[in-house]
């Protein structure tokens, strides 16, 4: 407790009075009796000693009180995190006075600028920071979502603070065109704190991403960490993800993207169907291969063969590029060729497939065609690679009609650093819109968790991948080989690969027999199920295989559950998850 000047004077006077009893006469009387043996005491010397002692007592008392007051005033009671793309943490004391404001990234430093909030009220700091985000364009009609996270030593106080700050920010956004506010309370969690420190984000954003990945196994933590709160909010909206403990208000902006209506129109026009012919329709926003994507599925009537055709389109949300599309006849409606029908040859089937893909024979590689029967329908399954894509086309063996068409990324091809895409890689110096080689390297090193001094065999290449500029960065560090693709415009990590360095690649190592040192198939299955967030009873078509990969023994666990296919690779010695893949079944 602080004391003013009057209070301190009163304390001194009180201490002085208590320390100076009125005993002067008795003391002088005793001195007369003992004259010759006792030195007479002068009144002023006695009083000086008493006053000095009293002052010392008060000084010590004031120091103790002052130190306690200082400690209390500088004790962190709550931490409020504001996440947009800038991430900012504000620590406050019990009276909600700001102790420190911490910028989590470069964008946050721009928002804070030269403002000094130490000692100011929390509400003042929040209002000023939101105002700066609006002025700097981090909150706008294009991206309008913000996440408020409160970590408090008092749970009830933290919840009340969360709701109050969220309401204040919502009011500010409503005065500036509207926005979407997500808010939550967080508490200390060792795993979350480790993730937040590893990726340089707030504890609040780490918790939000963790909940999204738990609700949808299509995503991984590292794939979502670079997204803004607005993009995460869009994924939650389209995926209908209801996350516990998170309050949401408003609608996330989609102005940075072409919009569902435009994406739908692109898909319908490409498929050659009118909206009036559509019988079933569904649209979701996903994040695939470092891009926001509209995943549009619909059904339309098949005027040629009767029945219905099921379509699936993946459309780049930024530029409307068709990244993947396939269509397939509904087996319940498709007619089966009459027995004895004369089938077309495999070469004719290949010609129909190439015509449908718009490619010539000399433009494709790994071409093959297989004759088979599916659901009573005789067909040729034609597969080939071209321009960085994998094609799978099913051709009706009776009449050459296309039953299914699938074009998808060739992951092995695109990740290997060689691109057959005819779009030439940029050879000129990066334009002003590119982040630059040095910035790209730093992003790659940060993602790998290494410093520049630890890196060896560094290679950086600016290339074009599926129509956008990418920095391909390869290096060795801490016994691993890294391959990181960084978007040249926005700095997002598009792809990240990490493999242990095997110094004896030319000389195969002997494969040891399974020993007691291995974790065992049962333990490997449990680790895989925990990573997928399912129980053993939910797993179907389970397969476990022990094999050697990149110089180490690995358990590969494959299974299906809840409409998804899982493949998990686990280090047989340590139990570390080396690779995790999940796809819709």
């Amino acid at each position: 407790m602080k004391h003013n000047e009057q209070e301190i004077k009163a304390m001194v006077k009180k201490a002085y009075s208590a320390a100076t009893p009125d005993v002067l006469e008795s003391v002088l009387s005793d001195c007369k009796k003992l004259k010759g043996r006792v030195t007479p005491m002068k009144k002023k010397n006695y009083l000086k000693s008493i006053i000095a002692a009293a002052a010392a007592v008060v000084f010590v008392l004031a120091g103790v009180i002052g130190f306690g007051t200082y400690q209390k005033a500088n004790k962190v009671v709550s931490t409020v995190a504001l996440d947009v793309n800038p991430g900012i943490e504000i620590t406050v004391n019990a009276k909600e006075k700001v102790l420190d404001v911490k910028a989590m990234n470069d964008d946050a430093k721009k928002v804070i600028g030269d403002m000094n909030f130490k000692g100011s009220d929390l509400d003042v700091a929040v209002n000023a920071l939101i105002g700066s985000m609006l002025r700097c364009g981090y909150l706008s009609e294009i991206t309008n979502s913000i996440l408020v996270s409160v970590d408090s030593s008092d749970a009830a106080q933290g919840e009340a603070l969360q709701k109050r700050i969220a309401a204040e920010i919502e009011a500010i956004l409503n005065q500036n065109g509207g926005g979407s506010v997500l808010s939550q309370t967080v508490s200390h969690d060792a795993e979350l704190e480790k993730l937040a420190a590893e990726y340089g984000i707030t504890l609040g954003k780490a918790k939000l991403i963790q909940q999204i990945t738990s609700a949808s196994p299509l995503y991984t933590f590292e794939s979502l960490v670079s997204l803004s709160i607005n993009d995460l909010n869009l994924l939650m909206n389209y995926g209908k993800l209801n996350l516990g403990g998170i309050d949401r208000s408003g609608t996330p902006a989609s102005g940075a993207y072409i919009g569902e209506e435009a994406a739908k129109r692109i898909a319908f026009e490409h498929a050659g169907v009118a909206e009036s012919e559509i019988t079933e329709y569904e649209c979701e926003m996903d994040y695939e291969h470092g891009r926001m994507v509209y995943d549009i599925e619909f059904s339309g009537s098949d005027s040629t063969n009767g029945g219905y055709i099921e379509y699936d389109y993946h459309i780049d949300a930024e530029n409307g590029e068709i990244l993947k599309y396939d269509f397939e006849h509904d087996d319940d409606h498709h007619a089966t060729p009459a027995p004895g029908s004369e089938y077309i040859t495999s070469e004719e089937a290949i010609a129909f497939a190439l015509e449908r893909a718009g490619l010539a024979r000399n433009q494709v590689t790994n071409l093959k065609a297989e004759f088979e029967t599916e659901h009573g329908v005789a067909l040729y399954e034609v597969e080939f690679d071209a321009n960085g894509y994998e094609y799978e086309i099913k051709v009706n063996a009776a009449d050459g009609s296309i039953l299914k068409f699938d074009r998808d990324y060739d992951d092995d091809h695109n990740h290997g650093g060689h691109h057959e895409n005819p779009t030439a890689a940029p050879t000129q110096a990066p334009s002003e819109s590119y982040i630059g080689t040095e910035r790209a390297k730093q992003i790659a090193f940060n993602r790998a968790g290494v410093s520049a001094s630890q890196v060896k065999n560094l290679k950086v290449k600016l290339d074009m991948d599926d129509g956008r500029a990418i920095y391909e960065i390869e290096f060795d560090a801490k016994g691993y080989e890294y391959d990181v693709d960084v978007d040249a415009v926005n700095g997002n990590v598009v792809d990240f690969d990490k493999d242990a360095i095997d110094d004896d690649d030319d000389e195969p190592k002997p494969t040891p027999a399974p020993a007691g040192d291995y974790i065992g198939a049962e333990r490997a299955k449990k680790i895989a199920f925990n990573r997928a967030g399912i129980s053993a009873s939910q797993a179907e078509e389970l397969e476990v295989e022990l094999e050697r990969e990149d110089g180490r023994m690995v358990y590969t666990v494959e299974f299906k559950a809840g409409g998804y296919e899982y493949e998990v690779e686990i280090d047989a010695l340590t139990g570390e998850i080396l690779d995790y893949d999940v796809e819709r079944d």
Side-chain angles (χ1 to χ4, degrees):
M1 179 183 298
K2 287 186 177 181
H3 299 279
N4 57 36
E5 188 176 352
Q6 280 188 324
E7 290 174 329
I8 292 176
K9 285 182 178 180
M11 291 170 65
V12 172
K13 183 177 180 181
K14 183 177 181 181
Y16 170 75
S17 299
T20 55
D22 189 12
V23 295
L24 179 60
E25 295 301 326
S26 62
V27 170
L28 292 176
S29 175
D30 289 340
C31 287
K32 290 178 181 179
K33 295 177 182 178
L34 298 174
K35 187 175 181 180
R37 291 189 297 159
V38 178
T39 303
M41 180 184 296
K42 293 183 179 180
K43 185 175 182 179
K44 62 179 181 179
N45 290 337
Y46 174 78
L47 293 177
K48 282 184 179 179
S49 299
I50 297 298
I51 291 171
V57 170
V58 173
F59 180 78
V60 172
L61 179 62
V64 171
I65 294 172
F67 180 71
T69 302
Y70 174 82
Q71 278 191 316
K72 188 173 182 180
N74 287 274
K75 180 182 179 182
V76 175
V77 172
S78 301
T79 299
V80 178
L82 306 177
D83 281 292
V84 178
N85 177 28
I88 298 173
E89 285 186 346
I90 310 168
T91 53
V92 297
N93 63 15
K95 292 187 175 182
E96 294 186 9
K97 296 292 185 181
V98 175
L99 301 176
D100 188 30
V101 176
K102 180 181 179 182
M104 305 302 294
N105 51 28
D106 291 338
D107 289 331
K109 292 177 182 177
K110 294 178 184 177
V111 170
I112 297 171
D114 58 359
M115 291 187 288
N116 183 5
F117 297 105
K118 188 173 179 62
S120 64
D121 291 335
L122 173 61
D123 292 342
V124 172
V126 169
N127 274 266
L129 290 170
I130 297 301
S132 182
M133 288 182 184
L134 287 164
R135 288 192 301 274
C136 294
Y138 293 109
L139 284 170
S140 66
E141 60 184 9
I142 293 177
T143 172
N144 67 352
S145 301
I146 183 170
L147 171 67
V148 178
S149 307
V150 177
D151 179 8
S152 178
S153 55
D154 185 321
Q157 181 180 341
E159 185 176 351
L161 185 58
Q162 167 213 336
K163 295 183 182 302
R164 193 187 84 222
I165 296 297
E168 289 178 3
I169 294 176
E170 185 178 0
I172 296 173
L173 295 182
N174 287 339
Q175 293 172 1
N176 291 271
S180 179
V181 180
L182 292 74
S183 64
Q184 62 181 351
T185 57
V186 296
S187 56
H188 292 286
D189 179 280
E191 181 182 356
L192 274 182
E193 290 173 349
K194 181 180 178 182
L195 288 170
E198 179 182 354
Y199 291 101
I201 59 177
T202 67
L203 193 66
K205 186 173 182 181
K207 180 180 178 180
L208 176 65
I209 294 174
Q210 187 185 63
Q211 288 188 280
I212 292 175
T213 56
S214 297
S216 176
L218 289 175
Y219 305 119
T220 63
F221 192 97
E222 65 182 14
S223 70
L224 299 183
V225 74
S226 63
L227 292 186
S228 68
I229 298 301
N230 196 76
D231 283 345
L232 294 174
N233 203 2
L234 285 169
L235 293 181
M236 292 163 60
N237 256 19
Y238 276 92
K240 298 179 178 61
L241 305 181
N242 295 316
L243 308 185
I246 294 183
D247 296 334
R248 300 169 67 193
S249 66
T251 302
S254 58
Y257 305 115
I258 62 173
E260 182 180 339
E261 286 301 316
K264 182 170 66 172
R265 185 173 62 253
I266 291 169
F268 292 171
E269 289 178 356
H270 187 272
V273 298
E275 187 166 358
S276 59
E277 300 173 340
I278 301 303
T279 55
E280 296 179 9
Y281 171 84
E282 183 178 353
C283 177
E284 290 186 2
M285 189 168 240
D286 285 334
Y287 186 65
E288 301 174 355
H289 305 285
R291 306 184 186 199
M292 295 295 287
V293 173
Y294 290 107
D295 183 356
I296 300 177
E297 299 179 7
F298 56 95
S299 299
S301 58
D302 182 1
S303 58
T304 303
N305 300 305
Y308 293 88
I309 301 177
E310 298 172 346
Y311 298 86
D312 184 5
Y313 279 79
H314 290 201
I315 297 174
D316 189 301
E318 288 189 14
N319 56 31
E321 177 189 356
I322 298 175
L323 303 175
K324 172 186 174 183
Y325 60 96
D326 63 67
F327 57 88
E328 186 171 9
H329 285 270
D330 187 333
D331 292 322
D332 293 334
H333 297 90
H334 188 270
T336 302
S341 298
E342 184 177 350
Y343 299 143
I344 62 175
T345 66
S346 61
E347 284 299 315
E348 289 174 322
I350 290 172
F352 283 119
L354 293 174
E355 181 182 8
R356 177 64 186 82
L359 296 167
R361 185 72 173 255
N362 61 4
Q363 292 179 289
V364 306
T365 58
N366 302 324
L367 175 64
K368 63 180 181 180
E370 294 181 0
F371 179 85
E372 58 188 57
T373 302
E374 288 185 3
H375 306 288
V377 179
L379 56 86
Y380 287 95
E381 185 174 280
V382 183
E383 297 178 354
F384 53 85
D385 299 336
N387 298 332
Y389 289 94
E390 295 176 332
Y391 290 78
E392 179 185 328
I393 305 174
K394 294 182 179 180
V395 182
N396 192 318
D399 58 15
S401 61
I402 305 299
L403 302 178
K404 178 182 179 181
F405 180 94
D406 183 72
R407 185 188 79 161
D408 205 351
Y409 287 107
D410 184 351
D411 286 330
D412 294 335
H413 173 86
N414 287 329
H415 293 172
H418 303 288
H419 303 280
E420 295 177 15
N421 195 313
T423 305
T427 56
Q428 73 277 13
S431 71
E432 292 182 0
S433 62
Y434 292 172
I435 60 174
T437 301
E438 291 303 316
R439 177 63 180 150
K441 288 193 297 184
Q442 191 58 52
I443 290 171
F445 297 162
N446 289 345
R447 177 62 187 82
V450 302
S451 63
S453 61
Q454 296 173 306
V455 170
K456 300 177 181 178
N457 304 323
L458 175 65
K459 297 178 183 177
V460 181
K461 178 184 177 183
L462 179 63
D463 203 354
M464 292 298 293
D465 188 359
D466 298 316
R468 64 172 165 181
I470 297 290
Y471 286 104
E472 297 176 352
I473 304 171
E474 299 177 6
F475 56 90
D476 299 341
K478 295 183 177 180
Y480 289 92
E481 295 175 336
Y482 294 87
D483 187 351
V484 188
D485 290 351
V486 179
D487 191 298
V489 176
N490 57 32
N492 288 340
V493 175
V494 177
D495 190 53
F496 178 85
D497 287 323
K498 171 185 174 183
D499 293 309
I501 296 175
D502 188 355
D503 295 328
D504 301 318
D505 285 338
D506 297 334
E507 299 180 10
K509 296 180 181 179
T511 302
D517 290 338
Y518 293 167
I519 61 173
E522 289 303 316
R523 175 62 179 156
K525 287 191 292 186
K526 185 175 181 180
I527 292 172
F529 296 158
N530 287 342
R531 176 63 184 84
I534 67 165
S535 63
S537 61
Q538 294 174 292
E540 300 176 352
E541 301 182 25
L542 174 64
E543 295 181 11
V544 182
E545 183 178 356
L546 178 64
E547 55 189 352
R548 173 173 285 278
E549 289 186 5
D550 298 322
R552 69 171 88 186
M553 297 303 292
V554 173
Y555 285 104
T556 300
V557 185
E558 298 181 7
F559 55 92
K560 295 183 179 181
Y564 293 93
E565 296 178 348
Y566 297 84
E567 181 178 333
V568 189
E569 294 183 359
I570 300 169
D571 190 299
L573 288 172
T574 66
E576 176 189 359
I577 295 177
L578 305 176
D579 191 36
Y580 176 82
D581 288 320
V582 56
E583 295 180 357
R584 284 193 179 93
D585 182 5

